[in-house]
């Protein structure tokens, strides 16, 4: 991480995402199995957005940018010994239900120290979610050789203009940290625009 911060020219782009529809959808599924969580929606939305913007699903190498067709989405997991980010391998093949089950399994095996080597070395993009803490926003450090990482905090009830009226809305802050050797501001903005669209209209996440 020290080398990453020193050697990678980081830049940061943030957006606000209204979660009202997403939270309503999750509440309606409370009795369903498997239970969906906001993290599941964040993972699935990230995977779909990466498929639309593949330059972010990549590694930076001595020969330049290597873009992957397969989305191996790494998810930061806090352990007593420190932070690790195992990857959901082939996440583009998983629908929302399968993503939920695979994510639960990945986190459980991470805490039990039963991860497979490719899950620790093959990530193509990382999601870091601190929404379970009293954290509203933060910036994360790119995990090389990946070129971007998404950081999200907890949602807040804030006054926002909705349909011409001021209403209290559940708002999530999302910040993308990116490697400026591989990406520019427009790349990051387009990705966040797609992520915002998907989470604000979660019916698109199947």
């Amino acid at each position: 991480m020290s080398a990453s911060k020193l050697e990678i020219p980081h830049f940061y782009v943030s957006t606000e995402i209204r979660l009202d529809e997403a939270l309503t959808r999750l509440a309606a599924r409370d009795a369903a199995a498997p239970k969906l969580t906001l993290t599941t929606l964040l993972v699935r939305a990230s995977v779909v957005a990466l498929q639309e913007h593949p330059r972010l699903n990549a590694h930076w190498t001595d020969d330049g940018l290597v873009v992957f067709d397969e989305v191996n989405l790494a998810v930061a997991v806090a352990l007593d010994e420190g932070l690790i980010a195992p990857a959901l391998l082939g996440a583009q093949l998983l629908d929302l239900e399968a993503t939920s089950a695979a994510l639960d399994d990945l986190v459980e095996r991470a805490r039990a120290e039963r991860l497979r080597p490719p899950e620790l070395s093959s990530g193509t993009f990382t999601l870091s979610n601190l929404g379970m803490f009293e954290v509203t926003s933060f910036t994360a450090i790119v995990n090389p050789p990946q070129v971007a990482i998404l950081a999200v905090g907890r949602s807040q009830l804030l006054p926002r203009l909705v349909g011409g009226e001021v209403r209290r809305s559940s708002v999530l802050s999302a910040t993308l940290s990116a490697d400026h050797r591989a990406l520019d501001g427009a790349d990051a903005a387009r990705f966040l625009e797609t992520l915002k669209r998907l989470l604000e209209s979660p019916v698109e996440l199947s």
Side-chain angles (χ1 to χ4, degrees), residues 3 16 39 56 74-76 82 94 103 112 115 118 129 133-134 138 150 153 157-158 162 193 199 202:
E16 283 190 351
T39 300
L56 282 78
V75 181
L94 306 175
L103 184 60
L115 292 168
N129 178 14
F133 300 105
E134 292 294 319
F138 69 105
L150 181 67
L157 278 175
L158 299 173
V162 180
E193 188 175 66
L199 288 169

Side-chain angles (χ1 to χ4, degrees), residues 12-16 137-139 150-151 172-177 188-189 192:
Y12 311 95
V13 181
S14 300
T15 192
E16 283 190 351
S137 65
F138 69 105
T139 56
L150 181 67
L172 177 79
S173 176
T175 299
L176 186 79
S177 304
L192 287 177

Side-chain angles (χ1 to χ4, degrees), residues 16-69:
E16 283 190 351
I17 301 170
R18 291 202 309 271
L19 293 177
D20 302 298
E21 287 192 34
L23 294 177
T24 297
R25 181 176 182 183
L26 293 176
R29 286 186 51 100
D30 270 350
K35 181 180 177 180
L36 297 182
T37 66
L38 182 55
T39 300
T40 305
L41 292 182
L42 286 166
V43 168
R44 180 63 185 147
S46 297
V47 171
V48 175
L50 288 169
Q51 290 178 284
E52 292 190 29
H53 306 282
R55 286 181 60 83
L56 282 78
N57 187 55
H59 285 177
W60 182 259
T61 72
D62 292 339
D63 297 320
L65 190 66
V66 177
V67 177
F68 298 98
D69 293 326

